[in-house]
Amino acid sequence: ETGVTQTPRHLVMGMTNKKSLKCEQHLGHNAMYWYKQSAKKPLELMFVYSLEERVENNSVPSRFSPECPNSSHLFLHLHTLQPEDSALYLCASSPEDTYPIYGYTFGSGTRLTVV
Amino acid sequence: AQSVAQPEDQVNVAEGNPLTVKCTYSVSGNPYLFWYVQYPNRGLQFLLKYITGDNLVKGSYGFEAEFNKSQTSFHLKKPSALVSDSALYFCAAHGGNNRLAFGKGNQVVVIP
């Protein structure tokens, strides 16, 4: 375990469903990230939270809605998704956003399949 | 804008042979460079990083990487590959007041 826990590990949902992905870290990090990983494409940064405030939203469709209730927890709420949203969703954390030397700590991801 | 290029989709190597995974970067300011490895159905795991100092960086599992400023490269190397090294490898770069930029990843296949 890396210290970043994601649940569920796998999720299959219909296009009309509503579901949420959860990420939890107890590393004392102040920044948390959502990434989308699709095959043979660079990791896509979706959202960034620093000190519980959203600081970046990379033109992500509104059917993805993040929430950061405290510095240890990050959610990604999903509704009316499309089949092309099927991917591995990774959560990461770092001690401070944009301070480079520490890198990021990643969770194991949630494999999402939209049917 | 920052960018990282990993030119090969897949690297095949025989077990026991040297392994090289290529990475070039484009960032503003001094680069901070990272390699991560991803095993199936897992997240990315940190392998090594270059921040400053010696251009040859040693990391986990016998991996090392060489920072070459003139060629803007940070190739990952291992002298003798193991079958267990088969995984997806990501290069990442940081420059200026920005976040990590990742490459698309290289699938490494070590053939017994």
Side-chain angles (χ1 to χ4, degrees):
Chain A
E1 291 296 330
T2 63
V4 178
T5 303
Q6 289 188 245
T7 54
R9 294 294 304 274
H10 301 273
L11 178 62
V12 179
M13 60 185 289
M15 289 190 284
T16 58
N17 291 158
K18 289 184 180 181
K19 297 287 185 182
S20 296
L21 310 184
K22 180 182 177 182
C23 176
E24 186 172 355
Q25 60 92 5
H26 295 288
L27 301 170
H29 290 175
N30 288 324
M32 297 185 78
Y33 310 82
W34 279 116
Y35 280 89
K36 177 182 179 182
Q37 182 179 10
S38 304
K40 298 184 179 180
K41 294 176 65 176
L43 292 179
E44 298 175 45
L45 179 62
M46 300 174 71
F47 301 104
V48 180
Y49 277 82
S50 178
L51 296 171
E52 303 161 39
E53 178 182 347
R54 190 190 312 179
V55 295
E56 186 157 333
N57 175 345
N58 277 337
S59 302
V60 179
S62 59
R63 57 186 183 269
F64 295 91
S65 174
E67 178 189 5
C68 186
N70 55 61
S71 60
S72 298
H73 294 86
L74 184 66
F75 294 90
L76 188 62
H77 304 299
L78 316 171
H79 65 96
T80 59
L81 294 190
Q82 303 299 311
E84 60 265 28
D85 297 322
S86 298
L88 183 67
Y89 288 84
L90 293 167
C91 174
S93 69
S94 69
E96 292 186 33
D97 188 33
T98 73
Y99 190 61
I101 70 170
Y102 299 112
Y104 298 167
T105 302
F106 284 84
S108 296
T110 295
R111 172 68 63 185
L112 174 67
T113 304
V114 181
V115 297
Chain B
Q2 299 182 133
S3 66
V4 174
Q6 295 181 247
E8 301 158 314
D9 283 340
Q10 182 165 311
V11 175
N12 296 325
V13 61
E15 186 176 24
N17 281 3
L19 168 63
T20 299
V21 189
K22 296 179 180 178
C23 172
T24 58
Y25 63 89
S26 173
V27 301
S28 57
N30 293 322
Y32 301 97
L33 303 163
F34 300 79
W35 275 102
Y36 288 84
V37 61
Q38 185 181 33
Y39 298 101
N41 297 313
R42 303 300 301 272
L44 278 66
Q45 298 177 30
F46 171 79
L47 267 182
L48 50 79
K49 66 181 178 183
Y50 171 82
I51 303 299
T52 187
D54 195 347
N55 289 346
L56 184 64
V57 178
K58 294 187 183 296
S60 308
Y61 312 120
F63 283 93
E64 58 187 29
E66 186 167 11
F67 169 62
N68 187 317
K69 187 173 183 177
S70 62
Q71 297 185 4
T72 62
S73 67
F74 189 57
H75 301 332
L76 181 70
K77 300 180 181 181
K78 185 171 183 179
S80 178
L82 301 173
V83 172
S84 57
D85 294 328
S86 298
L88 190 58
Y89 291 81
F90 286 91
C91 182
H94 221 301
N97 188 28
N98 293 297
R99 301 185 178 89
L100 278 181
F102 287 86
K104 63 177 173 61
N106 282 127
Q107 184 67 50
V108 169
V109 178
V110 181
I111 303 162

